[in-house]
Amino acid sequence: MACFLSATCPVYVAPAMDLEMFKDPSTNANLAGLKARGVKTIGPDSGELASGLEGQGRMTELEVIVRFLVRDLMQGSKLAGKRVLVTAGGTQEALDPVRYIGNRSSGKMGFAIAEEAAARGAQVELVTGPVVIATDRPAIIRTDVISAAEMAMACERFAPDCDIIVMAAAVADHTPKKPSDRKIKEKETSMLVELEPTVDILKGLGSRKAKHQRIVGFALETNDALANAQGKLERKNLDMIVLNSLSDPGAGFGHDTNKVTLLTPGTDPVQLPLMSKARTAAAILDHLEKLMPNA
Ligand code: CTP
């Protein structure tokens, strides 16, 4: 108490207690009192407690506390206070009410970018295809979509108010022209499905890019990777393109790690090492911040 009263530095608390104690109104009132004095709270998380019970009251992991403190105290990020649109995951294009054409995107890279942007103080609109990942940061507002058309609609809605757009989603390039409204029967021995192109969301946003906006696309190439990614950077009027490697072990769909190359107009490509998707997200946003105007 004496230390707290004499502290002139920022003070943070990371509460840890049993679940009933945390739920008690006096705890809430005390936390509100601390908040009113400018003290920030980290956690508590839900999980196994010292009493053996499960619930909210578990102290946030030290690693998470340290990351929070670094970000919070850093405050130098150009993303602080910005609005960021991030897309994640793959889209699903219906063949019939049961089946769809999809891809192997897990959404991990897009979610890592959304988390990192939020940690740097941005307000994030996260538009995601069907994934099994959760996020509980208040600064991330999540919109779930299924098809490329739904993702396009959500992006059109959010993009005009955003300063940064990061299209990490693996959007289907084609969709069945006439999805069946009934389940297609097994006895069909062979069938032809006519596909039509989806809207290129990124190209549309790039063509209408406002002066204050910075737009980042992703590319996944199996051949002539750098030249193809460079072409997309120009064709879609982007400020950066993140080229994913498919050939390195541990990189790409589903992994917790990734290996990417960053391309920006007029500069040499920057190849990043194989790292966790969280660190890759941080490196992408560090690079992006260099492209943003000074406040
Ligand atoms: N993208 C999009 N809308 C689509 C398809 C893709 O916004 N309908 C975005 C992706 O989110 C990604 C980037 O475009 O950021 C690259 O997608 P890709 O399919 O590789 O680009 P294409 O121009 O369609 O090139 P390709 O001929 O290789 O398919």
Side-chain angles (χ1 to χ4, degrees):
M1 185 64 179
C3 286
F4 176 69
L5 290 179
S6 51
T8 52
C9 57
V11 178
Y12 297 79
V13 291
M17 65 194 80
D18 215 20
L19 74 167
E20 294 304 335
M21 289 164 74
F22 184 66
K23 275 193 224 152
D24 194 275
S26 64
T27 309
N28 282 305
N30 287 339
L31 285 173
L34 285 170
K35 193 175 172 194
R37 298 178 62 131
V39 174
K40 291 186 185 171
T41 316
I42 308 169
D45 293 347
S46 277
E48 196 185 339
L49 305 170
S51 61
L53 298 172
E54 290 265 335
Q56 198 171 15
R58 185 181 166 85
M59 195 178 89
T60 302
E61 294 299 328
L62 283 178
E63 201 188 318
V64 179
I65 294 177
V66 171
R67 216 167 43 225
F68 179 97
L69 293 177
V70 170
R71 297 275 176 250
D72 203 63
L73 293 166
M74 200 166 65
Q75 289 200 359
S77 172
K78 286 188 189 166
L79 287 167
K82 298 287 181 203
R83 292 180 66 90
V84 179
L85 168 61
V86 181
T87 64
T91 61
Q92 297 180 354
E93 309 303 316
L95 282 164
D96 68 15
V98 185
R99 307 178 182 94
Y100 60 83
I101 300 174
N103 60 65
R104 297 181 201 280
S105 171
S106 64
K108 287 178 183 171
M109 195 62 243
F111 272 65
I113 290 171
E115 294 275 337
E116 182 64 26
R120 294 181 187 210
Q123 192 64 41
V124 181
E125 294 288 352
L126 173 63
V127 177
T128 177
V131 293
V132 290
I133 322 177
T135 174
D136 56 6
R137 273 183 190 275
I140 300 179
I141 300 168
R142 172 174 173 164
T143 302
D144 286 272
V145 298
I146 295 177
S147 63
E150 286 176 18
M151 185 167 277
M153 266 190 334
C155 290
E156 291 298 333
R157 180 148 48 98
F158 299 127
D161 296 327
C162 287
D163 307 284
I164 309 290
I165 298 167
V166 183
M167 282 289 306
V171 188
D173 283 326
H174 292 90
T175 190
K177 194 166 182 179
K178 289 190 190 128
S180 170
D181 53 9
R182 291 179 192 186
K183 188 179 166 199
I184 300 166
K185 285 299 182 193
E186 240 177 60
K187 62 177 178 287
E188 307 277 358
T189 47
S190 70
M191 60 184 274
L192 284 175
V193 178
E194 195 181 348
L195 301 177
E196 62 182 1
T198 55
V199 172
D200 189 328
I201 307 167
L202 188 57
K203 196 170 176 190
L205 298 177
S207 69
R208 296 187 299 278
K209 183 163 66 175
K211 215 170 167 194
H212 66 95
Q213 287 183 324
R214 296 291 177 272
I215 305 187
V216 181
F218 273 66
L220 193 125
E221 308 289 341
T222 50
N223 54 295
D224 299 328
L226 276 177
N228 282 335
Q230 186 66 40
K232 276 176 203 174
L233 182 71
E234 289 158 22
R235 213 168 45 246
K236 301 196 187 196
N237 194 25
L238 308 179
D239 299 284
M240 193 201 306
I241 195 149
V242 180
L243 173 61
N244 276 291
S245 159
L246 255 193
S247 50
D248 291 281
F253 288 141
H255 294 288
D256 290 325
T257 48
N258 207 2
K259 186 171 174 184
V260 300
T261 304
L262 308 181
L263 287 89
T264 49
T267 55
D268 288 336
V270 175
Q271 174 151 22
L272 301 178
L274 183 74
M275 324 189 255
S276 70
K277 286 190 170 166
R279 292 193 62 187
T280 304
I284 291 169
L285 294 188
D286 283 346
H287 210 71
L288 177 67
E289 287 199 29
K290 290 187 200 142
L291 307 175
M292 291 169 65
N294 291 320

